[in-house]
Amino acid sequence: MVELDERANNTGVEKSTDKRTRSSEDPFIKHYFSRIDPDIANSFTDEQKHAIKQMFGARGYAKHPVEIRRSIPFGRHRFYLIFLLGRERRAYERLKSEGQASGYVAYALASAFWLAPAIMIAALVHFFG
């Protein structure tokens, strides 16, 4: 019996050591925990580190059908431009809580905004073409 308990305890120690090794190899954990005091970083458990990673939403980049990322020089400064186009995957509740889901009126206004130049060009071509 004592031997079985010792084996179970040793297995648990090995597993926790493996978890520490895995979490220390995680690029997200390395990046963010390199920015704080090493004594404080070492005080976090693997579960706490995993919870922090989930909180920050470290999921990597989503793939979009159109994805343009550019750094643009402007005088002595640089600005970062991102243009993403793809299907909306966020839940309606999240969009609503962020104030981005405002119903059909917003879609009608956005459509009018984007279609107005095309309609004006078509009319000009029709009358003066």
Side-chain angles (χ1 to χ4, degrees):
M1 283 304 250
V2 173
E3 205 173 288
L4 285 175
D5 288 339
E6 285 178 12
R7 271 194 256 162
N9 288 339
N10 287 340
T11 307
V13 169
E14 288 171 5
K15 284 182 182 175
S16 67
T17 305
D18 289 345
K19 280 184 181 177
R20 284 198 191 280
T21 305
R22 276 185 272 159
S23 71
S24 66
E25 293 173 1
D26 186 341
F28 176 85
I29 300 294
K30 275 186 176 180
H31 175 73
Y32 283 99
F33 280 82
S34 69
R35 303 167 113 187
I36 62 174
D37 183 351
D39 292 332
I40 295 171
N42 291 332
S43 70
F44 283 87
T45 66
D46 289 331
E47 290 79 19
Q48 290 170 327
K49 289 177 182 178
H50 181 71
I52 290 171
K53 182 177 175 179
Q54 283 184 323
M55 179 186 70
F56 279 105
R59 297 181 304 260
Y61 289 107
K63 297 293 180 192
H64 299 92
V66 176
E67 186 170 319
I68 300 170
R69 298 171 186 262
R70 296 284 182 259
S71 180
I72 302 169
F74 190 75
R76 293 185 297 168
H77 303 284
R78 295 186 74 82
F79 293 90
Y80 196 66
L81 172 70
I82 301 173
F83 180 76
L84 303 173
L85 183 66
R87 196 178 124 250
E88 180 64 73
R89 294 188 177 136
R90 294 177 290 177
Y92 180 77
E93 290 79 23
R94 179 177 169 194
L95 291 170
K96 192 172 181 179
S97 71
E98 293 174 354
Q100 296 183 20
S102 44
Y104 294 109
V105 173
Y107 290 119
L109 290 173
S111 297
F113 175 78
W114 288 105
L115 288 175
I119 293 170
M120 289 174 60
I121 290 171
L124 288 172
V125 168
H126 178 71
F127 290 115
F128 298 107

